[in-house]
């Protein structure tokens, strides 16, 4: 009993002390505001990259996410207000790698003195016009439309222009006629190989179906032919339920069309679907409209068609642009230590400073 009284008394003293501490903290913060001093932004203290004069913080990531939200709003697709905080935090976490890459590249382009031409600036601007759905907008129109994010947008626009100019100055970015011809030959080989493998897969499906028609046990045929190990594992327990199918709402239309009217124990012919070649067996019926099914699945290669020359050239140029950036970044990242976000609430690790002299190359 006495112990209980002591505990209650201690709890009361602690509550009074805690209340007094909160009061003093509020008074202290109010004093800072009156004096014109404000506590430092805690996000600015969370460092992703720090080397030489280059620093990227969680605050930078969050402000970049705010810019993306502003661009979406300008395009008529605003982030819903009730989920805005979560969207900003999640987006900030995801764009850290690109933010780091952008800062490192921009720093190198400044060192090299790269300046974007008028044609490059116009091309980059045209991309933003499409993004915000304003075909005739000027740079000032977009910046002014973004309000408080206008200044950050101008800096981002300038970085993208320098990157575009660098990529155009790289002779390997634009594919030559020989590059296109080599890519066409390689694609032709892939297409022919895929078609040959699909023909063999379909032959296996027909063979499995003939064995089932001849009376072979379903489990034995499935164990011999099915490739659905992702669903059933290596133990070949193919009698396990695959799906309970309602043909009115099933995601594989070819299967939905084949099932109505089938009795328990019946199976389909090999059916080609987006997931592969399937033989589906009705294991049970829940009611007149729902079928408990098992399947034999034989994987098919993705169907490919030869693109026209213009599309192939565009795809090659896109790959070359990405590779040019990666090659440069691989060199620029030497001596720079950074980590990506560890959570959605800005709980990140502070980085190690690089060794002295490691940033000299920038």
């Amino acid at each position: 009993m006495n112990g209980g009284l002591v505990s209650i008394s201690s709890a009361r003293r602690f509550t009074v002390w805690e209340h007094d501490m909160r009061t003093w903290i509020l008074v202290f913060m109010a004093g800072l505001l009156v004096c014109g001093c404000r506590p430092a932004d805690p996000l600015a203290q969370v460092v992703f990259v720090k080397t030489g004069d280059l620093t990227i913080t969680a605050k930078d990531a969050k402000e970049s996410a705010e810019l993306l939200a502003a661009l979406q709003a300008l395009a008529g697709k605003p982030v819903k207000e009730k989920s805005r905080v979560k969207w900003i935090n999640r987006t900030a976490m995801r764009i850290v790698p690109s933010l780091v890459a952008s800062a490192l590249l921009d720093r190198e382009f400044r060192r090299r003195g790269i300046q974007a031409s008028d044609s490059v600036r116009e091309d980059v601007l045209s991309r933003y016009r499409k993004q915000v759905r304003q075909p005739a907008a000027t740079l000032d129109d977009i910046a002014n439309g973004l309000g408080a994010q206008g200044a950050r947008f101008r800096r981002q626009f300038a970085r993208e222009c320098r990157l575009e100019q660098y990529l155009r100055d790289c002779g390997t970015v634009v594919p030559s006629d020989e590059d296109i011809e080599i890519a066409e030959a390689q694609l032709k080989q892939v297409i022919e190989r895929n078609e040959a493998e699909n023909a063999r897969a379909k032959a296996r499906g027909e063979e499995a179906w003939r064995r089932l028609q001849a009376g072979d046990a379903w489990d034995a045929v499935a164990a011999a032919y099915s490739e659905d190990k992702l669903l059933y594992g290596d133990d070949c327990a193919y009698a396990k339920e695959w799906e309970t199918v309602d043909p009115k709402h099933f995601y594989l239309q070819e299967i939905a069309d084949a099932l109505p009217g089938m009795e328990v124990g019946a199976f389909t012919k090999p059916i080609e679907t987006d997931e592969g070649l399937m033989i589906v067996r009705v294991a049970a019926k829940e009611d007149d409209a729902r079928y408990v099914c098992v399947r034999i699945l034989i994987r098919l290669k993705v169907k490919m068609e030869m693109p026209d020359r213009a599309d192939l050239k565009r795809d090659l140029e896109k790959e070359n642009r990405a590779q040019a950036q990666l090659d440069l970044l691989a060199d620029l990242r030497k001596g720079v230590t950074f980590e990506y976000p560890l959570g959605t609430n800005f709980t990140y690790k502070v980085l190690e400073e690089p060794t002295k002299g490691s940033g000299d190359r920038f």
Side-chain angles (χ1 to χ4, degrees):
M1 185 68 175
N2 291 338
L5 290 174
V6 171
S7 297
I8 293 172
S9 177
S10 299
R12 286 175 177 170
R13 286 199 299 271
F14 179 77
T15 302
V16 172
W17 176 84
E18 188 182 36
H19 180 270
D20 289 343
M21 281 298 297
R22 284 200 297 265
T23 303
W24 279 110
I25 290 171
L26 291 174
V27 170
F28 174 71
M29 292 181 69
L32 288 175
L33 292 175
V34 170
C35 297
C37 303
R38 297 187 179 184
D41 188 334
L43 293 180
Q45 310 303 315
V46 182
V47 179
F48 291 125
V49 173
K50 186 174 180 60
T51 177
D53 60 346
L54 174 62
T55 302
I56 297 178
T57 68
K59 181 180 179 182
D60 296 320
K62 191 169 184 179
E63 288 178 350
S64 294
E66 293 280 4
L67 174 56
L68 288 177
L71 284 168
Q72 284 193 202
L74 194 60
K77 296 181 178 180
V79 178
K80 293 181 180 179
E81 199 60 39
K82 64 179 181 180
S83 60
R84 182 180 176 82
V85 173
K86 287 185 177 179
W87 188 94
I88 292 294
N89 284 353
R90 185 168 62 248
T91 303
M93 180 181 70
R94 290 174 178 171
I95 65 176
V96 168
S98 61
L99 193 64
V100 171
S102 176
L104 291 173
L105 289 172
D106 189 56
R107 180 176 177 175
E108 176 65 8
F109 298 152
R110 286 178 179 277
R111 187 186 70 80
R112 297 187 185 191
I114 293 177
Q115 297 295 327
S117 65
D118 291 341
S119 63
V120 165
R121 291 174 60 85
E122 183 61 27
D123 287 346
V124 175
L125 181 58
S126 68
R127 293 203 293 262
Y128 275 107
R129 286 170 177 156
K130 290 179 182 179
Q131 183 176 348
V132 299
R133 300 180 178 181
Q134 297 182 19
T138 65
L139 179 62
D140 288 339
D141 291 337
I142 297 175
N144 293 336
L146 292 171
Q149 295 296 327
R152 176 169 284 273
F153 167 72
R154 290 179 187 275
R155 293 194 295 273
Q156 177 172 301
F157 179 81
R159 286 197 302 271
E160 291 188 26
C161 287
R162 282 191 285 270
L163 172 60
E164 183 68 24
Q165 187 66 58
Y166 167 77
L167 293 173
R168 293 192 184 186
D169 292 343
C170 293
T172 58
V173 171
V174 180
S176 64
D177 289 340
E178 183 180 3
D179 294 330
I180 297 173
E181 290 169 4
I182 292 173
E184 284 179 333
Q186 292 173 336
L187 275 174
K188 184 179 179 181
Q189 289 179 352
V190 172
I191 291 171
E192 290 175 351
R193 185 166 60 249
N194 283 0
E195 289 176 349
E197 291 187 17
N198 282 344
R200 287 192 291 271
K202 291 176 183 178
R204 279 173 51 80
E206 289 293 331
E207 185 179 325
W209 182 66
R210 286 195 296 270
R211 283 186 55 179
L212 290 170
Q213 281 190 310
D216 286 9
W218 172 269
D219 289 0
V221 176
Y225 290 90
S226 187
E227 300 168 356
D228 205 350
K229 292 184 179 180
L230 288 177
L231 183 62
Y232 301 115
D234 292 330
D235 60 354
C236 296
Y238 291 110
K240 182 179 177 182
E241 177 183 332
W242 165 54
E243 287 275 4
T244 299
V245 179
D246 182 346
K248 292 182 180 180
H249 308 290
F250 197 55
Y251 70 101
L252 294 173
Q253 190 61 47
E254 301 87 351
I255 304 301
D257 292 340
L259 286 177
M262 289 182 62
E263 298 298 328
V264 174
F267 50 85
T268 68
K269 291 183 177 181
I271 300 174
E272 195 170 336
T273 73
D274 290 340
E275 293 186 8
L277 197 69
M278 291 188 190
I279 301 174
V280 177
R281 178 175 178 265
V282 178
K285 284 186 178 181
E286 289 190 349
D287 51 45
D288 291 339
R290 291 166 62 84
Y291 299 80
V292 179
C293 298
V294 291
R295 74 178 180 185
I296 292 172
L297 173 70
I298 298 174
R299 301 290 178 184
L300 295 175
K301 293 290 185 180
V302 176
K303 288 185 177 180
M304 296 177 62
E305 296 181 358
M306 181 67 73
D308 62 39
R309 194 175 180 85
D311 289 339
L312 185 56
K313 181 179 179 180
R314 186 192 64 245
D315 292 342
L316 284 175
E317 185 169 349
K318 185 177 180 180
E319 291 177 11
N320 290 349
R321 286 169 58 90
Q323 190 59 50
Q325 294 180 63
L326 288 174
D327 290 344
L328 183 57
L329 277 171
D331 188 50
L332 296 179
R333 283 174 170 172
K334 292 176 181 176
V336 180
T337 304
F338 61 93
E339 294 187 17
Y340 295 155
L342 303 176
T344 57
N345 58 348
F346 292 105
T347 54
Y348 310 110
K349 290 182 180 178
V350 178
L351 311 175
E352 286 184 22
E353 290 279 0
T355 57
K356 187 175 182 182
S358 61
D360 293 345
R361 64 172 61 249
F362 297 104

